[in-house]
Amino acid sequence: MIKLSLLYLLCGVTLGALMLINKAWLISPLLWFVLPIHIEFLIFGWIIQFTLGVAYWILPRFLKSKGRGNEKMARMMVFFLNAGILLVAFSGYGLGSSFALTGRIFETLAVVLFISLHWKRVVTYNPG
């Protein structure tokens, strides 16, 4: 997740830089249509995904199994988050609002998976 978030950061900053350059020297008036992609990539792709990735890594492991939980659920969380980001980012380009809604549902599902995956890791340890 951290590597993916850094990739989103690179893409989002590149798009932002192109839009800023476009303000000074007109490259194309159509360049402003990438603003929703820029916003989605930086907010959800970089900030949210980086935060979830660091939390997954830094939260304490289970005491008995020394693991971080169900790896399949963690992979599903990453898939749903990234599918949601891409659906929302590109939904404004002729795909329709149903793609944006589906993307937001996927992002919400990723957060629910994150919470269910980590809830037992953050609850205070009680042996008895």
Side-chain angles (χ1 to χ4, degrees):
M1 289 183 83
I2 294 172
K3 290 178 184 179
L4 281 172
S5 72
L6 295 175
L7 181 65
Y8 279 113
L9 174 64
L10 178 67
C11 293
V13 167
T14 301
L15 292 174
L18 285 173
M19 287 188 294
L20 280 175
I21 292 169
N22 193 46
K23 285 179 98 172
W25 301 289
L26 186 63
I27 298 170
S28 171
L30 298 176
L31 195 56
W32 288 103
F33 287 109
V34 300
L35 182 62
I37 298 173
H38 167 72
I39 293 169
E40 188 72 19
F41 278 12
L42 289 180
I43 292 177
F44 288 93
W46 175 48
I47 295 173
I48 301 297
Q49 186 153 232
F50 186 81
T51 304
L52 295 179
V54 168
Y56 179 78
W57 173 73
I58 206 166
L59 285 173
R61 297 180 185 185
F62 288 114
L63 295 174
K64 293 182 182 178
S65 67
K66 300 294 184 197
R68 290 188 165 92
N70 187 345
E71 188 174 324
K72 184 178 178 182
M73 188 183 293
R75 289 185 188 277
M76 287 176 27
M77 173 186 64
V78 173
F79 170 78
F80 280 121
L81 180 61
N82 287 288
I85 291 167
L86 294 175
L87 282 172
V88 172
F90 294 106
S91 66
Y93 302 99
L95 297 178
S97 61
S98 63
F99 279 85
L101 179 62
T102 304
R104 291 293 183 216
I105 290 170
F106 279 5
E107 291 170 349
T108 305
L109 181 60
V111 171
V112 169
L113 285 170
F114 176 83
I115 291 169
S116 65
L117 183 65
H118 295 85
W119 186 254
K120 291 180 182 174
R121 289 171 57 191
V122 296
V123 175
T124 305
Y125 177 69
N126 184 2

